Amino acid sequence: MPPPADIVKVAIEWPGAFPKLMEIDQKKPLSSIIKEVCDGWSLANHDQFALQHADSSNFYITEKNRNEIKNGAILRLTTSPAQNAQQLHERIQSSSMDAKLEALKDLANYSRDVTFAQEFINLDGISLLTQMVESGTERYQKLQKIMKPCFGDMLSFTLTAFVELMDHGIVSWDTFSVAFIKKIASYVNKFASDISILQRSLAILESMVLNSHDLYQKVAQEITIGQLIPHLQGTDQEIQTYTIAVINALFLKAPDDKRQEMANILAQKQLRSIILTHVIRAQRAINNEMAHQLYVLQVLTFNLLEDRMMTKMDPQDQAQRDIIFELRRIAFDAETEPNNSSGSIEKRKSMYTRDYKKLGFINHVNPAMDFTQTPPGMLALDNMLYFAKHHQDAYIRIVLENSSREDKHECPFGRSSIELTKMLCEILKVGELPSETCNDFHPMFFTHDRSFEEFFCICIQLLNKTWKEMRATSEDFNKVMQVVKEQIMRALTTKPSSLDQFKSKLQNLSYTEILKIRQSERMNQEDFQSRPILELKEKIQPEILELIKQQRLNRLVEGTCFRKLNSRRRQDKFWYCRLSPNHKVLHYGDLEESPQGEVPHDSLQDKLPVADIKAVVTGKDCPHMKEKGALKQNKEVLELAFSILYDSSGQLNFIAPDKHEYCVWTDGLNALLGKDMLSDLTRNDLDTLLSMEIKLRLLDLENIQIPDAPPPIPKEPSNYDFVYDCN
């Protein structure tokens, strides 16, 4: 007979004694269980003791987390969190350096536990640590000269404990002094060779900037880009990651009027080329966190274009009109008379109108009106001028080539540039906040200081080439833009390492090649429209949907690892959720690290019966997306968010690792609730599987034309003598 569900069999250790095997009744108060254990070893004052896991975590067991105890677990009887916090608070103030070092090492380890952290913080422990850092005083500096390794370890453990305590979100970042910030900033320079001190100092600076506007201003005054750059030139990828994270945080929190100024400083310090040389082209793989930070830097850099993208042209502004005159001058200067030549104003206006028509503007008389739509606003004009000045031969060739064609076949350079700029801004999501989960950076954008402009120059030449290949007319403009977008997107998915490589990828994606790809995809997803085929589809569809449903449920049974997002991503916290094989219970629980393969049910401490689930909500309807914070504004995170609502106010909140997992889980949960699976993935799977099944069933009919109507029923025979009567 199995033991009751509330009874857990465990082993409990106590230093100097043999471990005890005992049964814990989860219904009894934890204090009663601790008293029982203490009585067994004749220990008085049981209220000064606690139980903790004897594994590497050493986390205390509390009434909140006691359900995590599993059969066969090894526990340890130890001093209570309050007692332990009090002892460590005293020990780290010891006059003995060896004792102090050992105490700080223990504090760094214990601070990961939120129960201990709360007790230590209640003793004003954070203030004590900041005072120790601020006073890095004469005795520390003397000690540094005499016992440099000891000093380095002591400071490293102090900063580690501080980072772990702050990570619990119990104390506000706004409470720290300028002296503390100055000290942390100084460590970024002083301890470049001590990886652990440097790493924690950078992590603290990043958290300060991200979590407090006041601290951002103070940190920005204390740390310069010039001080951070040398850390990117080293070989430690983790230090490089933290360094770029600090730069990103400063960039993200800078006021709008300071961002361009900061971008100019980054350009002067050659940040881009340093990242390209020492990070992207270094002889080692780029890990996920580094890829995320590079993606964030890429997004923030492109977001500098938002101001120009949303600025309308003022038709009365002479400086802006001069840019259009310059475009005309570069294209037609050789074949037109100079401005100071004789000729009536009317004649000159007529000539300008003709030239603006050749340049492909919609408004020939006043082309400034073409740039009053936002987006792309003035950004389109900036791109056109850059192309005309830096790729002059290609610019003149495109303009003259099109002005020599028939009106209906000319590719309008002005209109094309405006629409292309708008398209590129959509592709690169200019103006959107970086996603918390995305790692999608493009190495080629780190190969040039004016990467967006160069990107435009390559794409405008592609557009002109595709226009010719399609033999397009003005009516085909939107079709050409669709093909060009497909060419660009397909080339970008290959992650070219340079702009030249991107250009060569586009050369291989001619209009003819795009047609072949489309044809191939159409054949793979061919949709027969004849009535017999449609009837066959209707008959097969329920079977296919059931197959998809089973696949989704099987994936839920396998489970998925989800990341808990917080202010500092490198302190990654994971949790795992999976469905029981009988589809009746969801098992979930926290993990120390991302798992390799499946996580067994018995290691997941929490359960949620499927019968208790009331609803599944997505996007903005999720409770965790309604909370204040940056996630609320982030479109990509919104698209990956879903929540399970149960009981009266219970909720289980998810942010899927990617769109595929989001679709799998929302489909699976809807299937469990008896609702339709409505995701894009289900639609694609249904189309693909239906197409394959129909093709398989029609293999015997290859090269036989299927009639639209059933064949006529033959007339009745004259007699039925051929019928065999079984009776």
Side-chain angles (χ1 to χ4, degrees), residues 127-145:
S127 296
L128 178 59
L129 291 179
T130 55
Q131 285 166 22
M132 289 170 65
V133 171
E134 285 173 22
S135 65
T137 60
E138 295 102 34
R139 26 187 323 226
Y140 270 15
Q141 282 158 10
K142 285 176 187 171
L143 177 68
Q144 186 183 1
K145 292 173 185 173

Side-chain angles (χ1 to χ4, degrees), residues 332 335 354 357-359 396-411 464 468:
F332 303 115
E335 61 179 55
R354 185 196 67 204
K357 186 173 184 296
K358 288 180 182 179
L359 277 170
I396 293 171
R397 188 184 69 250
I398 286 175
V399 173
L400 297 183
E401 219 176 61
N402 284 296
S403 60
S404 62
R405 290 183 188 151
E406 293 178 50
D407 280 357
K408 68 174 185 175
H409 282 290
E410 70 177 2
C411 176
N464 191 61
K468 287 189 288 186

